[in-house]
Amino acid sequence: MKRAKKGDIYAESLELHRKHRGKIEVYSKVPVTNRHELSLAYTPGVAEVCREIHKNKDLAYKYTLKANTIAIVTDGSRVLSLGNIGGYAAIPVMEGKALLFKKLAGIDAFPLCFERYHMEFADDIRNIAPVFGGIALEDIAAPRCFELEESLQNIGIPVMHDDQHGTAVVVLAALLNACRVTKKRFEDLNIVVCGAGAAGFAITRMLKCIGYNPDLCSSVNDIIVCDRSGIIHRHRDGLYANKYKFIIAEETNKTGRTGTLADAMKGADVCTGVSVPGIITPSMVRSMNKDPIIFAMAHPMPEILPADAREAGAAIVGTGRNDFPNQINYALAFPGIFRGALDARATRISDEMKVAAAHAIADFVRQPRKDRILPAVLNRNVVTAVAAAVRNAAVASGCARTID
């Protein structure tokens, strides 16, 4: 095989994965070099550990890897911009996620990739819960991702779909700091969300405070959500077939606007894109209110390039990429959220924990600027700050537990 030329990121990545045969491995924490060490780590000594856990299953947090281990679970049905590529092809992405968990938060994470036709998905996840301290659901297409996450909230450990809530947390943090820079009032914002999948739904719920305790969060003035068919509104045909889009229709677009994405963006203050590359044009940006805020997070190319958005009048532009300013990436959220949840031995991830994470990320940037509304993704101090806020919120919201 020819050596990959530097600068061709795809060829370089292929070579990296070929060379190392993946990116993570399992290693032993304890020595096993003689019979006594083997007796302690395995039989007969391990029997006493099993007896203690049998008497109190919470002691698995004290005596096993459970306290610091999560499963990264996918069916490969919505992987990045690659779509429905299945469990095998999803492995490299899940390995990468595991790598980030370890490097940023010190969490041991392992990919569990099911095939996309798997039917007993929720039951299988319930049955692997004993060994893990949390479950990160990844790259699962809507609406299955919503139904799956909802069905797993009572299994005794945190279960979170990162594409939804990790993205929503970081968008809220970015928007809080964008308001500080532009002097816009959060409560006055009219927002367009381009994309009604997992991330779009969660962003809409968080920014509109839908389903949250009203004392916990503030709502923007209004949100208009667009999907492939245009603006979601109460009278659109076929809406009742998808209860999540029905919720969006009931809770947003209070003026009843109809039409296309271009129609939605007229007079908006913010456009948040979680859809497809190139869908936003400069003329759409020019139709927005003065000093608009553009978060274009499609991969691998954003809905509009930052230079084009700024030339059209955007005051602040963020994307999902690390080669442009203002990277809006859920990697700012999920390591700290799960670190805090594991430290609290949390039974679930509450709304209070998500909101606390968003404010911790925003507050980490003490003096936000147009080109720096969020901290760097690889800054481990962000993880520490988010974890502390999430751990405290877990205690306050009754999700934490104490194990002697």
Side-chain angles (χ1 to χ4, degrees):
M1 179 179 288
K2 291 182 179 180
R3 188 178 181 85
K5 291 182 180 179
K6 193 169 183 179
D8 183 344
I9 195 69
Y10 297 115
E12 284 189 73
S13 181
L14 198 61
E15 172 63 13
L16 176 90
H17 286 76
R18 183 202 64 79
K19 179 180 178 181
H20 295 283
R21 297 196 178 184
K23 300 181 286 284
I24 60 173
E25 64 181 355
V26 177
Y27 66 93
S28 173
K29 294 179 180 179
V30 299
V32 184
T33 59
N34 55 52
R35 292 177 65 183
H36 180 67
E37 290 173 347
L38 179 61
S39 296
L40 292 176
Y42 195 50
T43 186
V46 75
E48 184 62 17
V49 185
C50 296
R51 282 191 283 263
E52 288 297 304
I53 295 173
H54 181 64
K55 288 186 284 185
N56 177 5
K57 67 180 183 180
D58 281 347
L59 289 178
Y61 283 98
K62 184 175 181 179
Y63 291 125
T64 77
L65 52 69
K66 182 180 181 73
N68 196 50
T69 305
I70 66 168
I72 304 173
V73 179
T74 188
D75 65 353
S77 59
R78 184 65 173 84
V79 181
L80 303 178
S81 62
L82 303 173
N84 192 350
I85 61 175
Y88 280 92
I91 295 171
V93 179
M94 302 308 116
E95 272 195 308
K97 192 71 176 288
L99 181 66
L100 288 175
F101 269 117
K102 186 64 175 179
K103 293 292 186 182
L104 295 176
I107 294 171
D108 296 316
F110 195 83
L112 294 177
C113 301
F114 294 78
E115 278 293 15
R116 56 188 177 274
Y117 50 76
H118 196 70
M119 300 305 294
E120 289 76 37
F121 207 8
D123 286 342
D124 285 343
I125 294 172
R126 284 190 189 92
N127 288 326
I128 64 169
V131 77
F132 297 106
I135 306 286
L137 300 176
E138 291 293 331
D139 293 343
I140 301 167
R144 191 184 198 189
C145 60
F146 306 131
E147 298 160 355
L148 186 65
E149 188 187 56
E150 287 173 9
S151 71
L152 294 171
Q153 291 306 303
N154 63 349
I155 66 173
I157 59 174
V159 178
M160 188 178 85
H161 185 214
D162 287 349
D163 296 330
Q164 290 185 64
H165 307 295
T167 306
V169 163
V170 180
V171 167
L172 175 56
L175 195 54
L176 290 171
N177 279 347
C179 285
R180 289 168 186 156
V181 173
T182 61
K183 309 303 180 188
K184 295 177 184 285
R185 269 177 39 91
F186 185 87
E187 295 80 2
D188 294 337
L189 294 176
N190 291 310
I191 296 176
V192 174
V193 174
C194 178
F201 181 70
I203 290 167
T204 300
R205 290 188 72 238
M206 180 166 271
L207 299 186
K208 203 72 174 64
C209 213
I210 301 169
Y212 288 75
N213 183 330
D215 295 330
L216 183 63
C217 58
S218 298
S219 171
V220 298
N221 181 53
D222 199 13
I223 296 178
I224 295 176
V225 182
C226 296
D227 62 8
R228 291 185 183 90
S229 300
I231 295 173
I232 295 177
H233 57 89
R234 291 172 182 79
H235 305 295
R236 202 174 85 176
D237 291 342
L239 199 62
Y240 297 92
N242 185 321
K243 75 173 185 177
Y244 302 99
K245 290 188 181 181
F246 178 77
I247 291 170
I248 288 174
E250 286 296 303
E251 299 287 349
T252 64
N253 192 8
K254 59 188 180 183
T255 61
R257 194 178 297 192
T258 63
T260 65
L261 174 62
D263 296 315
M265 288 182 65
K266 292 174 182 175
D269 300 294
V270 180
C271 181
T272 295
V274 279
S275 55
V276 295
I279 198 170
I280 297 174
T281 66
S283 63
M284 293 179 190
V285 177
R286 285 191 289 269
S287 75
M288 298 173 72
N289 282 341
K290 184 182 178 182
D291 294 331
I293 298 164
I294 305 291
F295 296 157
M297 296 179 286
H299 282 284
M301 293 295 292
E303 286 82 357
I304 185 171
L305 289 171
D308 294 337
R310 286 193 295 269
E311 187 176 346
I316 294 177
V317 184
T319 72
R321 290 171 46 153
N322 63 11
D323 53 347
F324 294 130
N326 296 326
Q327 184 183 15
I328 303 171
N329 189 303
Y330 65 5
L332 274 169
F334 69 75
I337 290 175
F338 272 98
R339 179 73 274 161
L342 289 175
D343 290 346
R345 306 289 188 261
T347 56
R348 61 188 177 89
I349 293 176
S350 66
D351 290 340
E352 289 86 349
M353 294 159 75
K354 298 171 200 168
V355 173
H359 283 276
I361 293 168
D363 292 344
F364 193 87
V365 183
R366 305 208 171 190
Q367 294 181 314
R369 308 185 307 259
K370 286 186 176 184
D371 62 347
R372 189 175 182 268
I373 56 172
L374 290 172
V377 168
L378 296 180
N379 188 335
R380 293 192 65 171
N381 292 328
V382 178
V383 176
T384 302
V386 172
V390 168
R391 183 177 62 250
N392 292 337
V395 173
S397 60
C399 298
R401 59 184 146 197
T402 303
I403 298 169
D404 296 328

